[in-house]
Amino acid sequence: MPTIDALSERLTEYLDQQQIQQVRRAYFYAEQAHDGQRRKSGEAYVTHPLAAASILATMHLDHQSLMAAMLHDVIEDTEVTYEGVHSQFGESVADIVDGVSKLTHLEFETKAEAQASNFQKMVLAMAEDIRVILVKLADRLHNMRTLGAMRPDKQRRIAKETLDIYAPIAGRLGMRDLQVELEDLAFQAHYPMRAKYIRRAVVQARGQRKDIISSIQETIEQRLRQEGLKGTVTGREKHLYSIYSKMKSQNKSFAEIMDVFAFRVVTESVDDCYRVLGAVHNLYKPVLNRFKDYIAIPKSNGYQSLHTDLFGAKNITIEVQIRTKEMDAVASQGVAEHSHYKVYGDSDNSDSAVGSYKRARKWVQGLLEMQQRAGNSMEFIESVKEDLFPDEVYVFTPKGRILELPAGSTAVDFAYAVHTDIGNSCVSCRIDRRLAPLSQRLENGQTVEIITTPSAQPNMAWLNFVMTGKARTAIRHFLKNQQRHESIDLGRRLLNQFLSKYGSNADEIDQAKLLELLEEAEFKSIDDLLEDIGMGNRQAYVVARRLRPESEEEAGEQHGSPLSIKGTEGMVLQYAKCCRPLPGDEIIGHISAGKGLVIHRTACRNIGHLRDDPGKCIYLEWFEGLKDEFVAELTCQVESHRGIIAELATVATSMGADLQEIDIEDHEGKLAKVHMELLVKDRIHLARVMKKIRVLKTVNKIVRP
């Protein structure tokens, strides 16, 4: 069991006596605050914050982090307040403790929305001070180490939470050692039988592999001595959860996973890393396309190393990782290593650690941007989970800048990674100087150029293929705003339509009446009211009657001109598929809740029962300057013969109609019914197409449904 004296002794390695004294004072403060409290195991509660601080001490974290670890539960579990911690230990420590306290309820037993909302709090706390998550990870690690005192069902819940959230965050921050321990502990708690069998198989395999590992290790060491290169060679053990994950994801047997022997070479300098690489490639034959240079192009969490796969003696596959001592420290502790170098001020050796820290900060800032744009907590947490499990590809901008993206990313992901405005205005792309679809998946080493235009805007179809949370959140944010603007515009037009019957409009509304209505409906502004009308959730004629001038009577309600349809209303206007209205048709609008305005032909049977309801229908007219294309349907009765489909398609396209779909429904002897979907400009254009098709000898009848 750790003691404060033992911890103080360890801290002399990198903290001065005044800082150690502050850590001790925080411990005694926590001991007094938690007096009488016990853990499930029966130990005094203060042993937990002491253990969390000890974990951070192994990472050489600064004294404020250690003090916060000692105090991380006092606000949550005792009478101590934020102000109390602030007055005793300062603002930085109090803010970290407060940030950690807000994360204590990140639990899966609560509703999904509440859990997602708490995750948002974590991101906000991390953005303030990244040490918040480091203290929380140390707290979680000690809880996982002592999980056996909990009920089995609670063990499984906490283990799942650890695998889903905390272990990936540790990995994303480059804290490999902590991530591995969290994963193995959570794996054993969540899948005890699977962990037991894999552990037993590993122990058995280790005995059989011992001689082979020793032989390969000795051979590599001997080659390094011959080349005059310094380096420590060690055999790398795969941890249990890694073995299980690979067996599951790659659909491989235990024997196939364990047949790969892994070694790590830690050397003095970057130059030595490449020299060692040459030495091992001379010793064993490299596997084609299995070399990765993470020194020249670090991973997004700051990880740097050379990776190579080799064919060893007796057809054994060998994995070798080559890195410097500083890279090895950052690979183990990631962003936490930054604090250690900061204390010593070792500028020569701190590049990797500072790089890791900067990348972590950049990632957290990216999360913050996503959080601000996300529509709700669930949308946000889904985006973040996708970002927590990256298998990166590295691509280049035309100017040679390297961008890292999750595997499977497309040019749209790339565009949003460069800048949100680039993503919102992209229309096409060039991959390695050749035009390519925006949905094409990117591969390592490709150069991507995005072509933009100011009038472009995101497409809802992009959501089907984008991979990054940033792209998905930005697209949804844009579409949501676009829908709001269009809903407000349509709502204003609908309200003006009915107010005009009273000789008024939306700009001349009595403000007292408007404020009363907004308060009653719990809206903050008139835009919220107009959006509700535009989306069909509130009837425009009812609102107009509430807001009409006092002098106007009901008798005037029958007058007013039809609403003009411009075709640019976008997401809040839909053309009914049952009757496919075209410019030139008499039209009527059906106000549908949540969808906005659905346009039908006046003669459409589906709208008949609603035609006289002013709350549901509104008479419309086409705007004269429409230039859009509209979908029209035709049904032809034809004499069936080979080539009839091609014949009909040729005639339709010759008349400037874009054929979208054509199929034969049924046959009655030699007669067949053909359905066609065309893009035409208006009713006159469709009539010309029908006239041209009707003159074909094989066409007996053609109608527009």
Side-chain angles (χ1 to χ4, degrees), residues 693-705:
I693 291 175
R694 194 176 279 121
V695 299
L696 293 174
K697 291 181 181 180
T698 53
V699 177
N700 292 354
K701 185 180 179 182
I702 179 168
V703 294
R704 178 189 177 194

Side-chain angles (χ1 to χ4, degrees), residues 29 37 43 56 63 135 206 317 335 341 382 589 598 640 646 665:
Y29 186 91
Q37 294 180 354
E43 297 173 309
L56 296 180
H63 68 290
V135 174
R206 191 183 293 150
T317 306
V335 67
Y341 287 120
E382 286 306 312
V598 183
S640 182
E665 186 183 80

Side-chain angles (χ1 to χ4, degrees), residues 302-315:
Y303 174 87
Q304 289 183 287
S305 185
L306 298 177
H307 288 200
T308 185
D309 285 10
L310 309 166
F311 292 114
K314 301 178 183 177
N315 293 323

Side-chain angles (χ1 to χ4, degrees), residues 18 174 185 220 230 241 258 270 284 448 486 544 586 650 657 684 704:
Q18 186 181 354
L185 291 169
I220 295 174
K230 292 181 180 179
Y241 186 68
M258 292 301 286
V270 172
Y284 298 116
V448 184
E486 290 171 354
E586 289 188 4
T650 301
I684 295 172
R704 178 189 177 194

Side-chain angles (χ1 to χ4, degrees), residues 35-300:
D35 187 38
Q37 294 180 354
R38 296 271 169 186
R39 304 196 79 216
K40 293 278 187 185
S41 59
E43 297 173 309
Y45 192 88
V46 76
T47 59
H48 167 62
L50 177 60
S54 298
I55 290 168
L56 296 180
T58 62
M59 304 176 194
H60 286 200
L61 250 66
D62 63 292
H63 68 290
Q64 289 181 333
S65 300
L66 300 179
M67 291 161 70
M70 293 291 190
L71 302 165
H72 77 266
D73 280 329
V74 295
I75 294 178
E76 185 69 28
D77 297 336
T78 74
E79 300 295 321
V80 177
T81 62
Y82 171 86
E83 289 73 22
V85 177
H86 185 287
S87 64
Q88 288 287 327
F89 302 101
E91 185 177 3
S92 292
V93 173
D95 285 345
I96 298 172
V97 172
D98 187 49
V100 175
S101 298
K102 289 174 181 174
L103 310 183
T104 54
H105 296 297
L106 188 64
E107 296 179 350
F108 277 77
E109 65 186 2
T110 56
K111 290 181 181 178
E113 289 82 0
Q115 185 262 338
S117 178
N118 282 317
F119 189 81
Q120 282 186 305
K121 291 178 188 175
M122 174 189 286
V123 171
L124 292 171
M126 287 164 63
E128 290 294 324
D129 191 332
I130 206 162
R131 291 176 295 181
V132 169
I133 194 61
L134 301 184
V135 174
K136 185 62 185 175
L137 288 171
D139 165 55
R140 176 49 59 110
L141 180 56
H142 184 250
N143 281 335
M144 290 304 300
R145 287 173 177 175
T146 56
L147 199 59
M150 296 282 188
R151 297 194 314 268
D153 61 315
K154 203 163 186 181
Q155 287 186 34
R156 284 191 294 274
R157 178 184 60 75
I158 294 171
K160 176 169 172 48
E161 182 181 281
T162 301
L163 287 174
D164 282 354
I165 300 291
Y166 290 104
I169 286 177
R172 197 64 179 74
L173 298 177
M175 304 170 71
R176 176 69 177 164
D177 289 357
L178 195 145
Q179 179 193 10
V180 166
E181 188 173 356
L182 282 176
E183 285 178 344
D184 277 354
L185 291 169
F187 177 49
Q188 291 171 53
H190 200 262
Y191 302 110
M193 293 306 294
R194 299 180 198 186
K196 178 183 173 183
Y197 286 123
I198 291 177
R199 191 187 302 108
R200 185 186 299 166
V202 167
V203 171
Q204 188 176 354
R206 191 183 293 150
Q208 298 167 353
R209 293 152 50 96
K210 194 172 182 181
D211 291 343
I212 300 173
I213 292 173
S214 298
S215 173
I216 295 172
Q217 183 174 329
E218 191 177 321
T219 305
I220 295 174
E221 287 173 343
Q222 186 177 349
R223 175 51 64 98
L224 295 184
R225 283 195 298 271
Q226 288 174 2
E227 299 289 341
L229 296 168
K230 292 181 180 179
T232 306
V233 184
T234 54
R236 261 189 329 114
E237 282 287 340
K238 287 186 173 68
H239 64 289
L240 298 185
Y241 186 68
S242 170
I243 295 169
Y244 171 72
S245 299
K246 285 186 177 179
M247 288 172 65
K248 192 175 179 182
S249 63
Q250 298 176 14
N251 198 24
K252 289 185 176 180
S253 67
F254 176 81
E256 288 177 292
I257 300 294
M258 292 301 286
D259 274 351
V260 179
F261 293 77
F263 296 88
R264 180 175 298 146
V265 182
V266 179
T267 185
E268 299 292 329
S269 66
V270 172
D271 190 49
D272 284 346
C273 290
Y274 290 100
R275 291 175 184 275
V276 170
L277 177 70
V280 295
H281 276 191
N282 278 330
L283 185 62
Y284 298 116
K285 187 177 179 181
V287 179
L288 193 64
N289 297 326
R290 294 293 295 171
F291 167 66
K292 291 178 182 175
D293 188 344
Y294 293 121
I295 292 179
I297 307 175
K299 285 191 175 184
S300 56

